[in-house]
Each structure stands twice: as structure tokens, then as C-alpha cells.
Amino acid sequence: MRHIAAILLPGALVLALAGCATTAGEDAPSAARGQLLAEAQCGTCHAITGEAQPGQAPSFTSLAARFRAHSLRARLTEIDETGHFNMPPLKMGDADVEDIAAWLDSLPLP
């Protein structure tokens, strides 16, 4: 029974977060969706929480401190289209970029 719960619970969480509507509408950027996207797309190189290990890509905490609002969205769009250093292009949509930017904007500054 525990194995079934371990398999179903993460999927249920993703569905619940994806189904959450905001007062501004479903098309509004979502920090919760942005965090899920960052974990799935970027978590192998970037630390999602805490600080990066030596030799790894910068943590999202340090990126959030470095880039805010408009510059962050522009940088994510650039990475989406052309990549960055060792990063390949990610091929995210505009909504994905907005969600990740919303999540980064929600992180506390150090």
C-alpha cells in the first residue's frame, strides 16, 4: 500500500497545482507551477532550494537575488531560445517562462 501511495501522491500534487485557478484567471503566472517546472527542467544542475555545490550551476536562490522582474523574464526567454554557456535551449513556452519568473520573484532575497 505504501508503494502505491508513493507513486500516486506526487502525481496528485502536480495535478492539484496545475488545476489551481487564481483570481486573475488560469492564464495568470503561477509560482507553484514555476517551481514544478524548475524542479523538472533545471533541478539536475541548479539547486532548487539552498545553495549550489561547488562546480554546479548557480542556485535559484542566488539567481533570484541577481535577476528581478523584467531582466529575469528577458534572461529566461534568451535561455529558452539560444541556451546559455553549457545550457542547451530549453524550448519552453511563454507561459512556462512567466511561471518560472513568478516563482523566482516569490523567493525571499538574502
Side-chain angles (χ1 to χ4, degrees):
M1 186 67 163
R2 286 185 186 179
H3 297 300
I4 293 172
I7 293 170
L8 295 179
L9 188 59
L13 178 62
V14 169
L15 289 175
L17 288 173
C20 290
T22 64
T23 56
E26 290 184 26
D27 292 337
S30 165
R33 283 192 310 259
Q35 182 176 0
L36 290 174
L37 284 166
E39 288 171 352
Q41 298 263 349
C42 315
T44 56
C45 297
H46 292 273
I48 301 298
T49 58
E51 290 302 315
Q53 299 297 316
Q56 284 188 326
S59 70
F60 277 102
T61 304
S62 67
L63 292 172
R66 207 179 320 164
F67 300 101
R68 301 308 278 177
H70 178 72
S71 64
L72 176 62
R73 284 168 181 79
R75 181 61 112 189
L76 286 170
T77 300
E78 177 187 320
I79 291 168
D80 173 46
E81 294 170 356
T82 62
H84 180 70
F85 292 108
N86 293 328
M87 288 177 54
L90 296 175
K91 302 304 176 200
M92 299 181 294
D94 291 342
D96 294 339
V97 168
E98 289 297 321
D99 288 344
I100 292 173
W103 173 61
L104 285 170
D105 280 343
S106 76
L107 295 176
L109 293 175

